Amino acid sequence: AQTVTQSQPEMSVQEAETVTLSCTYDTSESDYYLFWYKQPPSRQMILVIRQEAYKQQNATENRFSVNFQKAAKSFSLKISDSQLGDAAMYFCATFGNEKLTFGTGTRLTIIP
Amino acid sequence: GAVVSQHPSRVICKSGTSVKIECRSLDFQATTMFWYRQFPKQSLMLMATSNEGSKATYEQGVEKDKFLINHASLTLSTLTVTSAHPEDSSFYICSARPRGTDTQYFGPGTRLTVL
């Protein structure tokens, strides 16, 4: 079984600043993957970043990076140089046993 | 690359009728497709996993006779909501996983309203 917890229902950040979204998870799988997806008002789910659990190196994708702490089962997302287009719901998810399990999401607001 | 389409994007139907939603992977083959349901301001809930050429695997609590899933080819899966009722009104999202990968790519979703 997998569970994903996002403890911040809402976050806001000033444009051009940095923000970190928290995520913790629990899984019984030994081989799993972690994802962050964003869902803008259009409701299209967009892959932001992906992390393989067996890799110690934190994934980065342009302005997006993760802090993966496997022992603590923590997978936070850092967004640098925040832009207005980053405003969205952000969902953390784990993939294991052929299933993707989502957290409850964090709504990110960008303040101009 | 990795584009998934869904059709229709929005549908309104009368109670008791059936509605079919199509999910297509446009530029890759997907041996596995997934169907999710999302209520307003909530997360995505997995309804079923669809494998090409075999029966779908439904999550606990999802009625397989009500939500018929067919994965007829490596690029197409369909969800049919049979005898729809107002409580079936929701946002339905599909995703597809390219062969040999662990990443799911999502369609734009279908908003179903049952009157």
Side-chain angles (χ1 to χ4, degrees), chain B residues 70-114:
Chain B
N70 183 273
H71 193 157
S73 75
L74 288 171
T75 59
L76 172 65
S77 177
T78 59
L79 168 68
T80 302
V81 183
T82 62
S83 187
H85 290 284
E87 56 266 30
D88 299 324
S89 298
S90 192
F91 192 66
Y92 293 87
I93 307 176
C94 75
S95 71
R97 192 175 71 179
R99 187 198 298 265
T101 74
D102 53 83
T103 302
Q104 293 181 28
Y105 297 92
F106 286 82
T110 297
R111 179 179 298 284
L112 170 63
T113 302
V114 184

Side-chain angles (χ1 to χ4, degrees), chain B residues 31-89:
Chain B
T31 50
T32 308
M33 289 183 168
F34 303 84
W35 288 94
Y36 296 85
R37 186 171 178 174
Q38 186 178 31
F39 291 103
K41 298 186 178 181
Q42 293 190 24
S43 188
L44 279 71
M45 299 298 296
L46 179 65
M47 298 175 64
T49 301
S50 166
N51 291 297
E52 187 265 338
S54 63
K55 291 183 179 180
T57 301
Y58 291 81
E59 293 301 297
Q60 193 172 8
V62 178
E63 299 176 59
K64 61 181 180 181
D65 294 331
K66 180 166 189 62
F67 298 100
L68 300 179
I69 290 172
N70 183 273
H71 193 157
S73 75
L74 288 171
T75 59
L76 172 65
S77 177
T78 59
L79 168 68
T80 302
V81 183
T82 62
S83 187
H85 290 284
E87 56 266 30
D88 299 324
S89 298

Side-chain angles (χ1 to χ4, degrees), chain A residues 40-92:
Chain A
S42 68
R43 301 192 77 174
Q44 168 77 60
M45 294 287 285
I46 300 167
L47 176 66
V48 175
I49 201 163
R50 167 184 174 275
Q51 173 82 43
E52 294 153 325
Y54 64 86
K55 287 188 177 179
Q56 290 186 332
Q57 186 173 5
N58 290 324
T60 62
E61 199 69 46
N62 300 315
R63 297 183 295 107
F64 300 88
S65 62
V66 298
N67 183 2
F68 175 44
Q69 302 290 326
K70 190 172 183 178
K73 295 184 177 178
S74 171
F75 183 61
S76 61
L77 174 70
K78 185 171 83 171
I79 306 174
S80 304
D81 185 25
S82 298
Q83 300 176 359
L84 294 177
D86 295 333
M89 280 289 288
Y90 284 80
F91 291 99
C92 177

Side-chain angles (χ1 to χ4, degrees), chain A residues 11-22:
Chain A
M11 291 282 284
S12 61
V13 63
Q14 204 82 29
E15 191 176 2
E17 297 295 311
T18 295
V19 64
T20 298
L21 308 184
S22 301

